[in-house]
Amino acid sequence: MSAQSKEWILHSVIFSLKHEKGSEAERQFLEDGKRILTSIPTVANFQVYKQVSVKNDYDHGFAMEFANQADYDAYNEHPLHVQFVSERWVTEVEKFLEIDYAK
């Protein structure tokens, strides 16, 4: 999204997985998360990050943008998001912190 409106939202979550660092299971979770969540129409500029700060003990980050609250709500309620959370996130994520930003 190049032109950000006043309604723009940056949704981010930092997390650590139950999987061993560098494992195939870790790689697969990150890859599947990107593939599944970017297929939701209202998601823009999805990024996968490796967290490198020594100031916290999380390992990864997902970040994505939404044009407005309605798009963000549509994402949260989308069947693919609901399924990813219930089938993968709940079972594979050890801990997380979610942060949403607006301008």
Side-chain angles (χ1 to χ4, degrees):
M1 282 181 188
S2 55
Q4 295 175 357
S5 73
K6 290 181 181 178
E7 298 180 64
W8 172 87
I9 295 171
L10 172 63
H11 171 64
S12 63
V13 60
I14 56 172
F15 58 95
S16 293
L17 296 171
K18 295 176 181 177
H19 307 302
E20 183 177 330
K21 291 179 185 177
S23 68
E24 175 62 20
E26 176 189 64
R27 185 196 66 75
Q28 193 66 57
F29 179 89
L30 298 172
E31 199 173 274
D32 289 349
K34 181 175 183 177
R35 178 181 49 79
I36 293 165
L37 299 176
T38 58
S39 70
I40 299 171
T42 60
V43 172
N45 196 25
F46 187 96
Q47 301 292 321
V48 178
Y49 296 105
K50 179 180 179 183
Q51 198 293 119
V52 296
S53 172
V54 296
K55 296 179 181 178
N56 72 66
D57 59 352
Y58 295 96
D59 298 319
H60 304 284
F62 284 167
M64 63 202 82
E65 297 178 17
F66 298 95
N68 51 49
Q69 187 66 49
D71 282 0
Y72 180 58
D73 293 343
Y75 160 78
N76 272 322
E77 298 165 4
H78 194 282
L80 289 174
H81 176 256
V82 172
Q83 182 178 14
F84 180 75
V85 169
S86 66
E87 294 179 5
R88 301 294 300 277
W89 192 267
V90 170
T91 60
E92 298 179 58
V93 172
E94 181 178 356
K95 59 184 175 179
F96 72 95
L97 175 62
E98 188 173 314
I99 303 171
D100 297 324
Y101 299 100
K103 283 193 168 187

